[in-house]
Amino acid sequence: MNWNNEVTLVSEKLIMDDVGNQISQTAENVILCEKKNVTRQEFYEASSSGFKPSLVLNIHAYEYNNETKLIFEGEMYVIIRTYNVDLERLELTCERDLGKR
């Protein structure tokens, strides 16, 4: 395994400001990951459901806290699927978030 890439997991939550308005607050967590290829089968199956997977990463499962987005190599991605490879590894399938970065 080659865990030499960095990924930033991004979590977002709504909080209330002083006057009661909801504002979005983000938190970032930088961890190491292993980059994998999107398989042909996975790409076509996801495409039939309206998704466009463009990135697959393996991370340590204990470092994931249900984040919905991540930043990899300067690009923002939305996490569209998680898969437990084994007790220690979690696979994240992502598509590029065209509205960010």
Side-chain angles (χ1 to χ4, degrees):
M1 288 186 258
N2 192 3
W3 297 81
N4 61 356
N5 294 312
E6 281 190 356
V7 62
T8 304
L9 299 175
V10 180
S11 62
E12 298 176 313
K13 67 178 181 177
L14 293 176
I15 60 168
M16 297 286 209
D17 66 6
D18 295 336
V19 293
N21 296 319
Q22 288 186 339
I23 55 174
S24 179
Q25 183 180 44
T26 61
E28 298 183 352
N29 183 24
V30 179
I31 62 171
L32 293 177
C33 67
E34 174 187 31
K35 183 179 178 184
K36 297 178 62 185
N37 292 322
V38 177
T39 65
R40 215 174 298 154
Q41 178 181 355
E42 186 172 31
F43 178 80
Y44 287 113
E45 286 178 5
S47 293
S48 68
S49 299
F51 295 107
K52 294 184 173 84
S54 56
L55 177 68
V56 177
L57 300 174
N58 276 343
I59 65 169
H60 293 106
Y62 64 87
E63 294 181 305
Y64 182 69
N65 293 308
N66 295 315
E67 289 89 352
T68 57
K69 296 184 179 186
L70 60 83
I71 302 168
F72 185 74
E73 295 180 345
E75 296 290 330
M76 181 72 81
Y77 292 87
V78 176
I79 300 169
I80 58 175
R81 184 176 81 87
T82 62
Y83 173 72
N84 287 313
V85 177
D86 54 34
L87 290 175
E88 295 183 10
R89 290 183 297 152
L90 181 71
E91 182 179 276
L92 305 176
T93 303
C94 311
E95 70 180 350
R96 184 169 284 146
D97 187 359
L98 298 177
K100 300 280 182 172
R101 293 204 180 212

